Amino acid sequence: MNIVLSGVKPTGIPTLGNYIGALRNFVKLQNEMPNAEFFFFIADLHAITVPQDPKVLKQNIKNLAALYLACGLNPKNLTLFIQSEVKQHSEMGYIMQSISYMGELERMTQYKDKVQKQVTGVTSALFTYPTLMAGDILLYDTRYVPVGDDQKQHLELARDLAIRFNNRFGNTFRVPEELISKTGARIMDLQNPTKKMDKSDDANKGCIFLLEPINSIKKKIKAAVTDSEAVVRYDKENKPGISNLMTIYSALTNLSFEDIESKYEGKGYGDFKGDLAEIVAAEIEAIQNKFNEIISSPMLDELLDKGREKATMLAQRKIQKVYKKLGLGR
Ligand code: ATP
Ligand code: LTN
């Protein structure tokens, strides 16, 4: 059985970047791989590696659970759960710490970036974050992990740790594989297109949130930073703004960059942005409509209960095996 697993942190309202780089791909994979099993979770333990307001966190967890479904995941073939409700994640995270090295965690670019931004109050959990993530993946004999390309290095660590454990203690873990889609793996900020669109950033003019008013979404797209050439042409180095908008356009319409270039030949950025605003707005409006139905339906809690039960059963089996291999307990 092939298990596909991924997580999203409830650190804010998910963005268009999360949607294109993660949530939307999950739905695509579910359609393309009818024989795989899908495990998606809300990575709340990962969220508290940086400070969170408890009330807001609780709301974000619920919103994210509903958004997973609103984006189109089929609940029939889905184990949807909240990470902190399956205690084995913390246990496995600790085991992963015991076989990882300071040096390899110090090399993680996400950690280095966040430390650079934060300077004081960096938690030790932020440092060990990739070991918790490795545990999330290895608990379920995951085969495929769909993520945006910012998670590539973390996934490589999960593979290294699986191989290391298997070599030392005998075959225990399946070595996971990354699934990173070719377009849209990294959507950039609309105001600062050399920086990733990030839901936990304070300044949010360049960030489109899945639950923000449709009018505000359109405005942000129309106000996105471009360049003075006024030619719709993909050139990531020299024209990062328009290239990012073209990436969004391409991801949502399946048109190639060449198709988009010829469609807008001789037209300015205004036409292009106007069309893109409508495309993004239509996609997000459909998500918001479904979200509003799901958030007030008892089905959400039922699904999360079922997900917790199933995940706990599998995770417990794996933890027992791991403890035995390590010689822990009686
Ligand atoms: P934070 O801002 O709190 O660090 P994040 O949005 O970067 O959050 P997650 O919520 O854990 O991190 O991301 C969930 C998924 O969305 C991951 O697979 C990640 O790779 C993907 N993702 C996040 N931002 C983008 C982006 N700008 N473009 C494409 N994919 C993204
Ligand atoms: N670290 C990821 C979120 C995450 C995850 C996982 C993704 C936590 N555990 C396990 C895939 C598999 C992020 O920041 N995007």
Side-chain angles (χ1 to χ4, degrees), residues 254-274:
N254 292 324
L255 289 179
S256 67
F257 293 143
E258 294 77 37
D259 292 339
I260 299 171
E261 282 168 6
S262 37
K263 187 165 179 198
Y264 291 95
E265 208 181 319
K267 295 187 186 165
Y269 290 153
D271 286 339
F272 171 79
K273 283 181 174 175

Side-chain angles (χ1 to χ4, degrees), residues 1-266:
M1 171 56 73
N2 286 331
I3 290 191
V4 180
L5 170 140
S6 195
V8 179
K9 286 175 288 181
T11 40
I13 303 296
T15 67
L16 185 62
N18 295 128
Y19 178 62
I20 293 176
L23 295 165
R24 189 169 174 272
N25 273 341
F26 301 168
V27 177
K28 238 198 266 170
L29 289 171
Q30 220 188 17
N31 292 328
E32 286 165 7
M33 300 167 72
N35 296 322
E37 266 201 62
F38 291 83
F39 282 57
F40 293 118
F41 66 96
I42 294 132
D44 57 348
L45 293 173
H46 277 96
I48 59 165
T49 54
V50 295
Q52 302 292 335
D53 176 322
K55 282 204 191 84
V56 177
L57 178 62
K58 200 158 269 327
Q59 196 57 49
N60 283 339
I61 291 171
K62 187 148 189 226
N63 285 347
L64 180 54
L67 271 171
Y68 266 110
L69 297 174
C71 287
L73 282 175
N74 179 356
K76 285 211 182 79
N77 178 16
L78 173 65
T79 302
L80 181 69
F81 63 96
I82 299 171
Q83 185 185 28
S84 66
E85 292 185 357
V86 181
K87 310 285 182 237
Q88 289 79 0
H89 283 255
S90 305
E91 294 184 63
M92 191 65 99
Y94 180 73
I95 301 300
M96 291 296 127
Q97 282 183 46
S98 77
I99 61 160
S100 59
Y101 302 117
M102 297 290 286
E104 59 194 350
L105 296 182
E106 274 159 3
R107 280 197 297 275
M108 294 290 141
T109 51
Q110 180 171 302
Y111 170 73
K112 288 195 281 190
D113 289 351
K114 292 210 168 176
V115 166
Q116 232 175 15
K117 274 193 230 156
Q118 210 178 315
V119 190
T120 57
V122 173
T123 64
S124 49
L126 191 64
F127 182 66
T128 56
Y129 179 117
T131 53
L132 180 61
M133 176 163 164
D136 298 337
I137 297 167
L138 301 185
L139 266 178
Y140 302 99
D141 285 328
T142 302
R143 171 97 192 253
Y144 298 114
V145 185
V147 280
D149 82 345
D150 60 321
Q151 296 302 309
K152 215 176 158 70
Q153 204 186 15
H154 291 161
L155 215 72
E156 204 46 55
L157 179 78
R159 290 171 55 85
D160 289 347
L161 295 180
I163 294 168
R164 187 173 303 158
F165 192 100
N166 289 346
N167 286 340
R168 279 193 202 161
F169 302 104
N171 200 21
T172 310
F173 293 123
R174 175 167 217 164
V175 181
E177 298 164 41
E178 63 178 34
L179 277 187
I180 297 180
S181 75
K182 279 177 239 59
T183 43
R186 183 172 298 221
I187 302 300
M188 311 308 269
D189 190 281
L190 300 182
Q191 288 298 319
N192 181 3
T194 53
K195 183 190 140 301
K196 178 181 108 149
M197 187 184 280
D198 226 337
K199 68 169 128 56
S200 59
D201 267 358
D202 303 337
N204 59 24
K205 267 179 65 191
C207 191
I208 290 181
F209 298 97
L210 295 184
L211 296 179
E212 81 178 86
I214 297 298
N215 271 340
S216 145
I217 292 176
K218 290 187 187 172
K219 266 193 211 141
K220 283 182 181 174
I221 291 187
K222 290 181 184 159
V225 165
T226 45
D227 55 75
S228 55
E229 195 193 29
V231 176
V232 178
R233 179 168 58 82
Y234 189 85
D235 178 349
K236 206 171 156 208
E237 291 295 301
N238 300 308
K239 293 160 72 74
I242 195 75
S243 301
N244 184 41
L245 296 178
M246 286 175 74
T247 303
I248 297 170
Y249 198 119
S250 168
L252 297 184
T253 59
N254 292 324
L255 289 179
S256 67
F257 293 143
E258 294 77 37
D259 292 339
I260 299 171
E261 282 168 6
S262 37
K263 187 165 179 198
Y264 291 95
E265 208 181 319

